[in-house]
Amino acid sequence: MPNSNKKSKKHKRKNHCDKNNDSTGNLADLSSNEDDINIMNEDFEKLQVDKPYQVKYSEIYGRYLVASRDLKKGEKLIETDALVIGPCAESLPLCLGCYVDLINVPRKYYCPDCGWILCQKNCPGYHTPHGHSEWECQSFKEHNLASFLLKCDEKDIRFIFEAILSLRCLLMRQAEHDKWIKISEMESHNKIRRNIPTLWDRNQELIVDRIRYQWGYKEFSEDEIHTICGILEVNSFEVGTNGCRARALFPEAYLICHDCQPNTTHTDDTLTHKLHLRTTIPLKKGSTITLSYSYTLQGTLKRRDHLHESKFFWCTCNRCKDPTELGTHASTLLCPKCTNGFILSTDSLNQDADWKCKKCCYAVSGKSILILLDRLFDELEVLDPNSIKDYEEYLKRYANVLHQNHYLMLSAKHSLCQLIGRSDGFLINELNLSQLQRKEQYCRDLLAVVNVFEPGMSRLRGIICYEMHAAMMMIITREFENRTINSNQLRSRLKEIVKLLHESNDILKIEPIGSPEYSMSLAAQDALKKMGNI
Ligand SMILES: [Zn+2]
Ligand SMILES: [Zn+2]
Ligand SMILES: [Zn+2]
Ligand SMILES: [Zn+2]
């Protein structure tokens, strides 16, 4: 799939649906005592009377954020620097200073002090607090960490980079104590994670043993290292664009509850990775502030599985409860035994429940549905990411199996929206009328579902609105030239285009300067200027 598809999959990590807390090693566990929390929340609220949110506590969710007053859509909620940034799990080698991918850096450069690999002599993150800091450099030097990079194979290097972020957090106990305190307040879910051998044993071997025994950081106990692994797994946000991909922990934002139909969106600065989180729809005072830790254009069965595996809870939100996914049919299959029958889960909060046709009662086991979804997903994933033909054939091939709004169909349509008009040989002014109309239709189909899953000012909506305007503009130009559109039709189509451009610009102009989305907002402004008063 095109890169921009991947970009929209930025997810947040926070599990509020389980109240398990545990205290381990030296890590403060402030969330384990409700009285402490109430006192702390009161203080917190006094200090932050002007903030658009308040911290609340519930038995079910633990600490979470609510709107402290009525909020408008697009209102800024949180703007904060990261407590720590570093490589993702199983990360490709990246620069520990500025987080660019080192695979594409032609000449290797090594830190003159500790010998660790960096991007270049003038790396903007060399000896800075959010990059390869002086204290980290000094510690790497003392433990001769660079020597382990030279000895490792291609597979192991990914785990080395993953372990570096855990080590970085642990070193902060001494080096950045204020930030360390905030990190140590975060949930690690050790009790749950300890009972998942594939996860716990993996971390023991690849991170804990490496840091303690191979690298010789005996001052950190095994439990402390596991706790940091958990904190990173549960709370980190993916950050970075344009060839840079990392994860980060942020204060406050980690308290936001998950919902599969979130009411906020967020982005990070291209260079500093400062987090900007804002509402996407108007919120009434007292409403729970939510974000999605999962990709919203994913079906319920897979989405819940992902949340359970990565965030350790089973989501029970309104979308998850409804087998029709709020009327979108994003998980609906078409019945092979009757005409126009929809096959839906009989209980979408039970992963093992049977699926049944609403019309003829034809039934399929949940297991068989999963096997089918995996097969069709694999088929989609191996398509040439630049082939319009491949994606359109996929849509045709499964038109009788999947609802037209099924998430796998939407994924193909999402790719097509971006490929038609932007790929070689298919630039917008090279397209014929039929191709332009298909692009418009794919955008329309996608937007209808995204309007439900990510209502309001979501980044994905901003991008689709822009793509849709481009197709519509070319279509009316052609139709006008061929005199196949009358002036009334022309005016009404132009009005729709102007609305799309305004919407796209309003959403994307608050993206970080230098990001592809921000550039799209400039293009939208430019198009609006050229169109004048419609
Ligand atoms: Zn760098
Ligand atoms: Zn160094
Ligand atoms: Zn849900
Ligand atoms: Zn049927």
Side-chain angles (χ1 to χ4, degrees):
M1 273 184 265
N3 280 339
S4 39
N5 271 17
K6 306 279 187 221
K7 168 73 176 65
S8 60
K9 294 184 191 177
K10 294 178 82 172
H11 310 316
K12 312 301 84 49
R13 325 292 182 208
K14 164 89 181 114
N15 170 6
H16 280 122
C17 292
D18 197 295
K19 52 188 178 187
N20 283 300
N21 288 308
D22 52 6
S23 173
T24 322
N26 287 340
L27 291 166
D29 187 11
L30 299 181
S31 57
S32 59
N33 184 316
E34 198 179 330
D35 291 339
D36 284 352
I37 289 161
N38 288 336
I39 293 163
M40 193 181 72
N41 285 348
E42 279 167 26
D43 290 346
F44 194 59
E45 285 168 21
K46 267 181 233 153
L47 283 171
Q48 307 186 51
V49 279
D50 295 333
K51 294 220 170 184
Y53 59 84
Q54 284 180 335
V55 182
K56 293 277 179 194
Y57 176 83
S58 98
E59 273 292 313
I60 300 168
Y61 301 120
R63 284 180 294 164
Y64 63 105
L65 303 189
V66 299
S68 61
R69 51 181 161 79
D70 288 355
L71 298 171
K72 297 192 195 90
K73 70 171 179 180
E75 194 157 339
K76 195 196 295 170
L77 287 173
I78 294 178
E79 201 176 283
T80 180
D81 284 320
L83 296 165
V84 65
I85 310 173
C88 295
E90 300 188 26
S91 166
L92 287 170
L94 47 73
C95 175
L96 290 185
C98 64
Y99 312 105
V100 296
D101 191 343
L102 288 177
I103 296 290
N104 299 321
V105 173
R107 277 185 52 202
K108 289 192 173 79
Y109 174 78
Y110 297 94
C111 173
D113 310 294
C114 70
W116 191 270
I117 188 165
L118 295 175
C119 65
Q120 53 158 317
K121 194 170 179 218
N122 299 320
C123 169
Y126 171 71
H127 282 196
T128 62
H130 283 309
H132 181 50
S133 60
E134 283 186 58
W135 49 262
E136 174 175 275
C137 186
Q138 179 65 29
S139 178
F140 280 18
K141 194 175 165 186
E142 282 163 19
H143 289 258
N144 196 15
L145 282 205
S147 67
F148 295 100
L149 267 187
L150 300 173
K151 290 182 228 158
C152 71
D153 61 22
E154 219 171 271
K155 199 175 164 211
D156 212 32
I157 201 163
R158 291 169 176 252
F159 304 127
I160 290 187
F161 273 86
E162 180 179 343
I164 285 290
L165 180 56
S166 297
L167 176 63
R168 192 175 263 188
C169 292
L170 292 160
L171 290 173
M172 288 172 78
R173 188 168 75 189
Q174 286 289 326
E176 302 248 14
H177 198 70
D178 290 352
K179 288 181 185 167
W180 161 260
I181 292 290
K182 287 184 179 157
I183 291 173
S184 62
E185 286 169 11
M186 295 180 188
E187 180 60 76
S188 68
H189 283 307
N190 273 3
K191 276 186 190 158
I192 300 174
R193 291 171 52 262
R194 205 185 286 276
N195 291 319
I196 310 172
T198 46
L199 177 67
W200 194 265
D201 297 349
R202 174 219 182 258
N203 285 350
Q204 179 72 39
E205 180 193 340
L206 299 173
I207 300 176
V208 178
D209 290 349
R210 190 183 304 273
I211 292 177
R212 249 180 87 75
Y213 307 111
Q214 201 183 9
W215 296 348
Y217 286 93
K218 293 275 173 60
E219 63 269 43
F220 305 120
S221 72
E222 292 196 358
D223 267 358
E224 276 180 318
I225 306 175
H226 274 296
T227 302
I228 281 296
C229 292
I231 285 174
L232 288 167
E233 282 158 23
V234 173
N235 301 285
S236 64
F237 286 60
E238 268 182 37
V239 294
T241 48
N242 301 346
C244 147
R245 189 173 158 262
R247 53 183 172 159
L249 294 174
F250 293 97
E252 301 160 341
Y254 77 97
L255 294 171
I256 298 176
C257 277
H258 164 84
D259 197 292
C260 297
Q261 192 191 24
N263 55 31
T264 67
T265 185
H266 62 275
T267 188
D268 57 282
D269 278 343
T270 32
L271 284 178
T272 63
H273 302 301
K274 186 184 207 146
L275 180 79
H276 302 262
L277 191 135
R278 56 191 160 82
T279 57
T280 46
I281 52 172
L283 290 186
K284 285 273 170 222
K285 181 179 175 177
S287 315
T288 304
I289 296 170
T290 61
L291 54 74
S292 177
Y293 311 162
S294 168
Y295 185 41
T296 53
L297 287 184
Q298 171 82 293
T300 297
L301 207 53
K302 290 301 218 176
R303 200 175 63 250
R304 293 184 83 238
D305 248 354
H306 169 258
L307 288 165
H308 184 245
E309 263 176 35
S310 58
K311 305 295 149 202
F312 317 108
F313 71 100
W314 288 113
C315 186
T316 56
C317 75
N318 287 338
R319 180 177 165 195
C320 285
K321 267 184 218 158
D322 177 0
T324 73
E325 299 213 32
L326 307 170
T328 62
H329 290 286
S331 287
T332 301
L333 303 170
L334 303 180
C335 181
K337 301 291 177 197
C338 70
T339 317
N340 300 329
F342 288 170
I343 300 179
L344 296 162
S345 172
T346 52
D347 177 4
S348 53
L349 295 184
N350 173 3
Q351 299 293 94
D352 301 322
D354 282 348
W355 286 49
K356 265 192 188 150
C357 174
K358 284 283 176 200
K359 218 169 157 187
C360 74
C361 289
Y362 168 70
V364 195
S365 71
K367 206 173 171 194
S368 306
I369 296 284
L370 260 184
I371 293 168
L372 175 70
L373 292 178
D374 283 341
R375 184 170 69 76
L376 300 192
F377 173 78
D378 291 345
E379 218 174 290
L380 188 63
E381 281 292 284
V382 295
L383 297 183
D384 174 353
N386 296 310
S387 171
I388 292 170
K389 187 168 151 274
D390 280 8
Y391 284 114
E392 291 199 313
E393 277 177 6
Y394 184 92
L395 289 182
K396 271 192 210 133
R397 194 155 56 245
Y398 295 110
N400 294 325
V401 178
L402 304 172
H403 189 282
Q404 63 144 350
N405 285 352
H406 191 276
Y407 72 93
L408 291 168
M409 300 294 255
L410 292 177
S411 182
K413 289 178 186 181
H414 190 189
S415 297
L416 285 164
C417 286
Q418 294 166 93
L419 286 171
I420 304 177
R422 291 191 181 274
S423 53
D424 284 349
F426 294 90
L427 295 177
I428 195 90
N429 50 7
E430 298 169 340
L431 300 177
N432 62 37
L433 192 58
S434 155
Q435 290 165 329
L436 287 165
Q437 284 166 337
R438 289 196 322 267
K439 178 176 168 102
E440 181 188 338
Q441 193 57 49
Y442 298 139
C443 289
R444 258 184 216 287
D445 293 350
L446 195 57
L447 196 57
V449 177
V450 176
N451 283 345
V452 178
F453 296 158
E454 296 188 23
M457 295 181 72
S458 86
R459 183 189 299 115
L460 186 53
R461 286 193 69 251
I463 294 168
I464 303 168
C465 286
Y466 185 85
E467 292 296 338
M468 189 163 142
H469 116 273
M472 288 178 70
M473 196 68 191
M474 290 305 292
I475 291 169
I476 57 163
T477 308
R478 300 275 170 84
E479 287 175 341
F480 189 69
E481 282 165 6
N482 300 338
R483 297 177 193 278
T484 50
I485 188 169
N486 66 38
S487 58
N488 279 342
Q489 288 166 326
L490 179 68
R491 197 170 298 115
S492 113
R493 296 276 281 171
L494 281 171
K495 273 193 175 150
E496 191 182 356
I497 292 171
V498 168
K499 196 166 163 251
L500 288 169
L501 282 170
H502 276 299
E503 189 139 32
S504 176
N505 178 41
D506 287 347
I507 296 170
L508 300 178
K509 71 183 177 194
I510 28 191
E511 289 293 314
I513 294 172
S515 67
E517 291 82 5
Y518 182 78
S519 306
M520 205 172 248
S521 78
L522 295 182
Q525 285 168 35
D526 199 40
L528 280 167
K529 240 180 253 161
K530 282 185 187 142
M531 290 176 77
N533 290 329
I534 301 290

